[in-house]
């Protein structure tokens, strides 16, 4: 993500956090679809977590949910929300390596169109996925939610 894009998300973070979800039914369906594929001991990496709402909704049912975002303001808002022991927030790039790897599941919801090189980001992410692990990306035409193994 470019400095201009980071600046944009920093400027709109408070407004973004305050606005309601546009399509509550679709959001709840997405949460249910992902939740159905998670297992209690899973280690999950989410890139582009924004204000952390999805992480805080799904994180309590797994062993670890590491939610990342590059925007300092999005990270600040996520960290200020009441959380749970399984959810950790980190300000970092989407393609960053994490000591917690390998992950059972990697989630990228509405973020891949914002990274400068989606192929390189995906390669970096898949390098942190356990063999037989799953990916969950939400962007029309990218991938369905899947879990192999």
């Amino acid at each position: 993500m470019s400095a201009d894009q980071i600046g944009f998300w920093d400027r709109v973070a408070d407004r973004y956090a305050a606005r309601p979800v546009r399509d509550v039914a679709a959001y709840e369906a997405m949460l249910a679809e992902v939740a159905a594929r998670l297992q209690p001991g899973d280690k999950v990496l989410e890139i582009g977590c924004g204000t952390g709402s999805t992480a805080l909704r799904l994180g309590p049912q797994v062993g670890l949910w590491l939610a990342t975002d590059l925007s300092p303001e999005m990270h600040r808002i996520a960290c200020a929300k009441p959380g749970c022991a399984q959810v950790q927030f980190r300000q970092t790039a989407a393609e960053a390596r994490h000591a917690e790897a390998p992950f059972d599941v990697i989630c990228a919801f509405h973020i891949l169109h914002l990274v400068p090189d989606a192929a390189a980001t995906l390669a970096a992410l898949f390098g942190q996925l356990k063999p037989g692990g799953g990916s969950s990306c939400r962007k029309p035409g990218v991938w369905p939610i899947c879990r192999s193994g």
Side-chain angles (χ1 to χ4, degrees), residues 47-115:
I47 64 164
C49 73
T51 61
S53 298
T54 299
L56 292 170
R57 289 283 302 273
L58 295 173
Q61 74 181 64
V62 299
L64 169 69
W65 190 289
L66 177 58
T68 68
D69 201 280
L70 191 54
S71 163
E73 286 302 302
M74 291 290 194
H75 180 254
R76 176 189 59 79
I77 292 167
C79 289
K81 292 181 175 181
C84 66
Q86 296 93 321
V87 176
Q88 297 176 18
F89 292 108
R90 189 171 295 160
Q91 182 189 337
T92 190
E95 66 278 2
R97 296 243 358 123
H98 300 282
E100 296 85 354
F103 295 94
D104 298 290
V105 176
I106 296 177
C107 297
F109 305 115
H110 305 287
I111 185 66
L112 291 176
H113 61 288
L114 296 175
V115 299

Side-chain angles (χ1 to χ4, degrees):
M1 197 179 300
S2 72
D4 286 343
Q5 288 173 309
I6 295 167
F8 168 80
W9 288 109
D10 283 349
R11 284 189 305 278
V12 302
D14 287 319
R15 282 179 282 155
Y16 180 87
R19 73 175 186 173
V21 172
R22 283 187 195 165
D23 188 340
V24 174
Y27 181 66
E28 293 296 330
M30 183 273 300
L31 290 175
E33 190 176 353
V34 175
R37 287 159 174 80
L38 297 174
Q39 297 174 15
D42 280 348
K43 286 196 303 184
V44 178
L45 171 64
E46 179 186 1
I47 64 164
C49 73
T51 61
S53 298
T54 299
L56 292 170
R57 289 283 302 273
L58 295 173
Q61 74 181 64
V62 299
L64 169 69
W65 190 289
L66 177 58
T68 68
D69 201 280
L70 191 54
S71 163
E73 286 302 302
M74 291 290 194
H75 180 254
R76 176 189 59 79
I77 292 167
C79 289
K81 292 181 175 181
C84 66
Q86 296 93 321
V87 176
Q88 297 176 18
F89 292 108
R90 189 171 295 160
Q91 182 189 337
T92 190
E95 66 278 2
R97 296 243 358 123
H98 300 282
E100 296 85 354
F103 295 94
D104 298 290
V105 176
I106 296 177
C107 297
F109 305 115
H110 305 287
I111 185 66
L112 291 176
H113 61 288
L114 296 175
V115 299
D117 185 343
T121 297
L122 290 171
L125 293 173
F126 282 124
Q128 298 182 77
L129 190 61
K130 281 184 184 174
S135 62
S136 177
C137 295
R138 270 292 199 231
K139 182 173 187 274
V142 177
W143 289 332
I145 294 171
C146 61
R147 185 179 187 107
S148 58

